[in-house]
Amino acid sequence: MRIGDLSAATGASPRSLRYYEDQGLLTSSRSGGGQRHYPETAVERVRLIQSLLSAGLNSATIQDVLPCINNEAIRTPWLAERLTAELERVEAQIEDLHRTRAILAGLVEQYRVG
């Protein structure tokens, strides 16, 4: 499948697909003309990458955890620990945002005209 087909099947832009490939998250073969060709399994792989990105993981973390997610035989407690650490990181960011919001709401009230 060519990059445009994979893009249409997953909703990921061709630019995103090239980025995933540059980050080692996705692989393709090349035609004689240099066009990328992806296996059918790339659709599910891209959807998984998108899901992990939506969960707040960066590409380096995804590269670390992807083998364990894809292959249950090599899955260890490390995967749950790594994902838990990411969850704790996101929860800390949420707490920071709540504090920031409270400060900003106070400023809005303090400087409201009328």
Side-chain angles (χ1 to χ4, degrees):
M1 136 179 356
R2 294 190 325 203
I3 195 166
D5 300 324
L6 183 57
S7 175
T10 61
S13 69
R15 182 177 179 191
S16 292
L17 297 173
R18 287 189 292 273
Y19 174 77
Y20 300 161
E21 205 170 332
D22 289 344
Q23 297 299 305
L25 305 176
L26 186 64
T27 58
S28 69
S29 59
R30 299 290 180 128
S31 70
Q35 290 185 330
R36 289 174 166 87
H37 288 275
Y38 298 93
E40 293 296 322
T41 56
V43 172
E44 190 57 38
R45 176 85 167 199
V46 169
R47 288 182 180 147
L48 176 58
I49 293 166
Q50 290 171 318
S51 174
L52 294 169
L53 287 168
S54 294
L57 277 64
N58 62 39
S59 58
T61 301
I62 293 171
Q63 187 175 28
D64 286 347
V65 301
L66 211 47
C68 299
I69 289 173
N70 282 336
N71 186 349
E72 195 170 332
I74 64 170
R75 204 170 289 165
T76 67
W78 173 87
L79 177 60
E81 291 165 6
R82 183 68 187 266
L83 293 175
T84 298
E86 289 298 316
L87 177 60
E88 291 168 353
R89 180 186 60 78
V90 169
E91 288 173 341
Q93 288 177 332
I94 291 169
E95 289 175 18
D96 289 344
L97 285 171
H98 281 294
R99 280 191 292 278
T100 300
R101 184 191 180 286
I103 292 168
L104 185 55
L107 290 171
V108 167
E109 287 304 312
Q110 182 177 350
Y111 298 110
R112 187 179 304 265
V113 176

